[in-house]
Amino acid sequence: MNYESLSRRGFVHQLGLASLTVPAITTLGLQACGGQAGKTTADEASSTTTTTGSSRKIGIALVGLGKYSEEQLAPALEKTTNCRLAGIVTGTPEKAEKWKKKYDIPDKNVYDYKTFDQIADNPDIDVIYVVLPNALHAEYTIRAAKAGKHVICEKPMAMTPEECQQMIDACKQAGKQLSIGYRLHFEPHNQEMMRLGQNQTFGKVNKIIAEDGQVQSEDNPWRLGRGIGSGGPIRDVGIYALQGAIYTKGQIPIAVTAKFHPVTDPRKFDKVEEGADFQLYFPDGTTAECSASFNKKMNKLRAEAANGWFELAPAYAYGGLEGETSKGKMNVDNVPQQARQMDAFAQCVLTNTPTTVPGELGMRDVQLIAAIFEAARTGKKVDTKNVIQYLDKSALKS
């Protein structure tokens, strides 16, 4: 996703270590982060109808008003049933004024990074959605939890597994849910890949191909590792390929291998990798061939099974996804992905049930990304048997 300017990021970074205040816990659900999926399936939870029969809408504050917030999340909130845009956090006064007028946000619900922790005193805001560069995810998730708010954190969850654990612990201590912004877990095409693969509809899945790449421009310097850094294709787009392979197979890899792509533009890719190929090895012998790139367009998820195949191309885009199997086209509609994602989490908060995409799922992926980097650096096969054993099985149908 795209974010705000580098100068704003530097400003945020300098404010990062502000002191925190722990408020009283609100009366909304006290479900701790993570845990196994509840009785409500992801498909039911992401319905655009509030199943509780309550007129209560969950108030969401967006932290970071870059392109993803502006072009995807804010418009999606207008399509939700269970939640609403209640507040914003930005270091740019001009953006604050623009958003206040466009979305009728009152002054008391507008914060900057100096006043962020005061959000604890605002009952209009139930959920804080952290839409900042990766290196800031841990800090602002922890601060949001200490402010007594539920949290959605964009992917990847954090830079290191240790940060992920700190985020999980902070939310548990506050009695608040932590969800990762894994929109595709609520997207029907990808849910169908989960169902077909995990149910072995075409027999045992023997091979998976998962590729995601784009030609990255320099208009978002942090994605190329500059300024606050924390970018690069493995974390930014490779996580989609990693996730797709796992939720299609329905197993967690026990080992990975990887190799960085040759650098064709040393000036552009002086801080981050240009791309990488990586392989996932599953317990039953299945392999996944994955690729991530900032210099090549790719968007595919394919499973080859004993009795057929099924694939998405494109697989990870915000819209226009298309699916096909060896028996014909998938009869699946495109939907407002972010609206379904946020409605699902709002429903979890309203009904005090666990999210199907908790911090534990995000931590699992950060652990695997760390292993992929190690494998690429060393040229060795890296064991991953000790990563968190969390799987999303919510799309399985009898």
Side-chain angles (χ1 to χ4, degrees):
M1 66 191 62
N2 295 321
Y3 294 93
E4 295 174 62
S5 69
L6 180 62
S7 59
R8 176 206 167 298
R9 291 296 171 237
F11 171 74
V12 174
H13 185 61
Q14 291 174 4
L15 296 173
L17 299 177
S19 59
L20 308 179
T21 302
V22 181
I25 297 174
T26 66
T27 57
L28 282 170
L30 301 180
Q31 175 65 46
C33 309
Q36 297 301 311
K39 294 181 180 179
T40 304
T41 65
D43 197 43
E44 291 167 344
S46 59
S47 166
T48 55
T49 300
T50 303
T51 58
T52 59
S54 171
S55 60
R56 171 83 162 91
K57 284 192 174 186
I58 296 300
I60 295 181
L62 300 178
V63 182
L65 305 184
K67 286 189 177 181
Y68 191 64
S69 287
E70 183 177 16
E71 298 178 2
Q72 301 298 328
L73 295 179
L77 279 162
E78 295 187 306
K79 299 176 183 178
T80 59
T81 297
N82 299 331
C83 43
R84 63 188 179 89
L85 177 59
I88 55 174
V89 182
T90 178
T92 307
E94 295 79 10
K95 285 190 176 183
E97 289 301 316
K98 174 183 175 182
W99 280 63
K100 279 167 53 179
K101 292 178 182 178
K102 184 173 183 178
Y103 295 105
D104 195 24
I105 300 171
D107 287 339
K108 68 183 182 66
N109 292 359
V110 177
Y111 299 85
D112 60 27
Y113 296 97
K114 292 180 180 179
T115 61
F116 175 82
D117 301 308
Q118 297 174 20
I119 211 165
D121 302 319
N122 193 330
D124 291 347
I125 295 169
D126 307 296
V127 174
I128 292 177
Y129 198 143
V130 178
V131 200
L132 295 168
N134 308 337
L136 295 173
H137 286 183
E139 176 189 339
Y140 278 86
T141 293
I142 292 169
R143 289 172 70 177
K146 290 186 176 183
K149 307 300 180 181
H150 301 279
V151 186
I152 304 174
C153 178
E154 256 311 307
K155 60 80 190 167
M157 181 176 173
M159 293 296 292
T160 67
E162 292 76 18
E163 287 185 339
C164 293
Q165 189 62 60
Q166 292 168 9
M167 296 159 75
I168 292 170
D169 291 344
C171 289
K172 284 184 176 178
Q173 184 175 0
K176 297 299 172 182
Q177 288 214 52
L178 169 60
S179 179
I180 309 305
Y182 286 147
R183 58 188 167 82
L184 295 179
H185 284 250
F186 307 95
E187 192 285 314
H189 293 82
N190 282 271
Q191 287 184 322
E192 183 67 356
M193 292 295 288
M194 297 181 204
R195 187 186 71 83
L196 293 174
Q198 295 182 29
N199 277 339
Q200 297 192 25
T201 303
F202 289 91
K204 176 180 176 289
V205 173
N206 296 313
K207 182 179 180 180
I208 295 172
I209 300 170
E211 303 171 336
D212 196 9
Q214 62 194 36
V215 178
Q216 178 61 46
S217 68
E218 299 194 52
D219 59 354
N220 297 107
W222 77 269
R223 299 177 84 176
L224 295 171
R226 298 181 190 129
I228 199 166
S230 78
I234 294 177
R235 291 188 176 96
D236 192 64
V237 294
I239 195 168
Y240 288 120
L242 173 67
Q243 277 237 320
I246 293 172
Y247 59 60
T248 298
K249 179 61 184 178
Q251 294 180 10
I252 297 171
I254 58 174
V256 300
T257 54
K259 185 176 182 180
F260 292 127
H261 292 169
V263 176
T264 62
D265 188 340
R267 183 192 61 80
K268 185 175 183 180
F269 298 107
D270 60 337
K271 303 293 185 182
V272 298
E273 72 281 4
E274 183 169 324
D277 297 324
F278 54 97
Q279 296 73 42
L280 311 179
Y281 300 88
F282 294 100
D284 67 353
T286 298
T287 59
E289 297 290 336
C290 306
S291 187
S293 176
F294 267 177
N295 201 32
K296 180 181 179 181
K297 291 184 178 181
M298 302 180 288
N299 207 304
K300 182 178 182 179
L301 177 59
R302 178 182 175 89
E304 298 176 356
N307 303 314
W309 55 268
F310 46 104
E311 72 173 22
L312 303 180
Y316 319 108
Y318 297 145
L321 276 59
E322 296 184 4
E324 188 173 2
T325 78
S326 50
K327 291 185 177 180
K329 294 282 187 180
M330 288 184 187
N331 185 23
V332 180
D333 293 329
N334 279 273
V335 301
Q337 298 172 16
Q338 291 84 358
R340 284 174 66 97
Q341 171 207 332
M342 290 186 285
D343 258 340
F345 188 58
Q347 191 71 11
C348 289
V349 173
L350 286 165
T351 59
N352 195 25
T353 53
T355 174
T356 57
V357 288
E360 285 78 2
L361 181 57
M363 181 171 173
R364 180 203 73 186
D365 296 336
V366 172
Q367 289 175 318
L368 289 169
I369 287 171
I372 290 166
F373 274 110
E374 181 183 349
R377 285 193 300 263
T378 65
K380 297 179 179 179
K381 193 174 191 178
V382 176
D383 186 289
T384 59
K385 293 179 181 178
N386 291 329
V387 304
I388 289 181
Q389 298 295 297
Y390 187 95
L391 282 170
D392 178 10
K393 293 183 175 291
S394 60
L396 289 177
K397 298 177 183 178
S398 58

